[in-house]
Amino acid sequence: MFKYGIAKYGVVPIKSKPDMKSELADEILFGMTVKLLEEKDNGWYYIETSYNYNGYINESDLYLYGKEGLEWDGQADQVINWKVVDVLKEPKYQSYSIKQLTKGSIVKLSGKETEDWQEIIFPDGEKGWIRKEWITYRIRNGKNIDEETFRKNVVDTALSYLGTQYRWGGKSPLGIDCSGLCSISYFINGIIIYRDAEIKEGYNVRRISIEDIKPGDLIYYPGHITMYIGEGKYVHSTGSSGGVVINSLNPEDEDYREDLADIKEVGSIF
């Protein structure tokens, strides 16, 4: 009996209903593991992510396993750090692509490498090659990093998505929404926050005063979330701007958003 699924593609949709035409609730990226809670008709599973988010994924998008599925998460110690990369059959650009991965995808090394290329192994045993500069070590607990370094890293990660198109429920460089941007930026830096635009008990974010805000902290509005980057600015993904942009908290700045003047609360992991 299957108990776990691992994302098979660079971006795997999590639907709000067991139907391809239903609303996109979230996305997982290659190598991310989900728990299979209930099997539905037509190959659908009701799932729970590692960050306790629920929805439906079709079996065609997953590698399916029993309890050994958890071994992948324990052994996969690298993450893709470039927007979109091709996994090639051989360690040379003249080879052909066997899979396309996006920033945040989790990968496992096979142990083979050349001067410029690293071989990775998929959960089903298939292997491919990617450039060494496209991967970095996976951070499993960002709280082990000093505060100043973490704040800089999480802001830099969020800013790396600048210009990405807005996608409801999206969480990748192919398309991302407001909470997707903040949650994946924290996830890549080893911290799990709630997927949606609210502070929820049981996660790492606590409420702070706006006067205490620092880079990397989160600003919550009714139905929206942004990340503070310092000097009165914040980065966010917004449908009205078409994607990831920087705006200002200062009413005198040209990039001030009057429609985002109503701040609900501010959150920090520190």
Side-chain angles (χ1 to χ4, degrees):
M1 181 178 179
F2 298 127
K3 293 185 177 181
Y4 297 95
I6 300 171
K8 186 185 290 187
Y9 303 109
V11 178
V12 169
I14 300 178
K15 296 288 190 172
S16 58
K17 297 178 181 180
D19 187 332
M20 289 293 187
K21 297 180 180 179
S22 71
E23 178 182 301
L24 183 66
D26 191 10
E27 292 175 336
I28 55 172
L29 310 179
F30 179 86
M32 292 184 177
T33 301
V34 296
K35 187 175 183 179
L36 308 179
L37 300 180
E38 185 178 356
E39 187 173 3
K40 299 291 185 179
D41 294 333
N42 301 318
W44 287 92
Y45 284 94
Y46 182 60
I47 63 90
E48 183 174 86
T49 68
S50 62
Y51 45 92
N52 301 322
Y53 206 80
N54 299 106
Y56 297 88
I57 297 181
N58 193 272
E59 65 179 4
S60 61
D61 289 329
L62 297 170
Y63 299 104
L64 299 174
Y65 294 98
K67 63 181 182 179
E68 73 276 8
L70 287 181
E71 295 177 2
W72 168 263
D73 189 65
Q75 297 170 354
D77 286 328
Q78 277 70 33
V79 63
I80 299 296
N81 64 2
W82 194 246
K83 291 183 177 181
V84 181
V85 305
D86 289 323
V87 181
L88 303 178
K89 186 63 177 179
E90 302 292 339
K92 56 183 179 180
Y93 282 119
Q94 294 82 0
S95 185
Y96 61 92
S97 175
I98 58 176
K99 198 175 291 288
Q100 192 175 72
L101 304 183
T102 60
K103 187 180 182 75
S105 295
I106 295 170
V107 297
K108 177 183 175 183
L109 304 185
S110 72
K112 293 179 62 177
E113 61 182 291
T114 69
E115 182 178 353
D116 300 317
W117 299 81
Q118 188 81 57
E119 189 183 55
I120 64 172
I121 183 169
F122 302 154
D124 64 353
E126 186 179 8
K127 299 175 182 178
W129 294 84
I130 58 177
R131 296 282 297 187
K132 287 183 176 180
E133 64 264 31
W134 294 340
I135 57 175
T136 187
Y137 281 101
R138 181 179 175 190
I139 301 172
R140 294 184 183 269
N141 187 356
K143 290 184 177 179
N144 291 335
I145 302 173
D146 68 89
E147 179 177 343
E148 183 177 352
T149 300
F150 178 87
R151 288 186 182 278
K152 180 183 184 303
N153 289 348
V154 78
V155 167
D156 287 346
T157 301
L159 291 176
S160 73
Y161 290 88
L162 278 172
T164 300
Q165 70 166 338
Y166 183 86
R167 175 185 289 173
W168 179 270
K171 200 165 62 182
S172 84
L174 301 180
I176 201 164
D177 67 8
C178 64
S179 55
L181 173 66
C182 294
S183 63
I184 193 63
S185 295
Y186 269 76
F187 180 87
I188 287 173
N189 287 283
I191 295 292
I192 291 176
I193 64 172
Y194 188 53
R195 170 62 171 88
D196 290 338
E198 62 177 291
I199 297 177
K200 189 169 183 177
E201 298 300 325
Y203 290 81
N204 290 288
V205 180
R206 66 179 183 87
R207 293 172 179 83
I208 64 170
S209 168
I210 185 68
E211 287 76 23
D212 296 327
I213 195 169
K214 295 180 180 180
D217 289 337
L218 304 168
I219 307 172
Y220 295 84
Y221 306 82
H224 191 58
I225 180 175
T226 72
M227 182 186 295
Y228 186 68
I229 61 174
E231 299 183 352
K233 305 284 187 178
Y234 58 87
V235 62
H236 62 145
S237 184
T238 168
S240 62
S241 296
V244 182
V245 296
I246 293 173
N247 286 109
S248 175
L249 294 170
N250 187 348
E252 298 180 358
D253 290 341
E254 289 185 2
D255 54 356
Y256 174 70
R257 285 277 298 266
E258 187 175 358
D259 60 323
L260 292 178
D262 182 20
I263 294 176
K264 181 181 176 183
E265 54 193 356
V266 178
S268 177
I269 67 167
F270 297 102

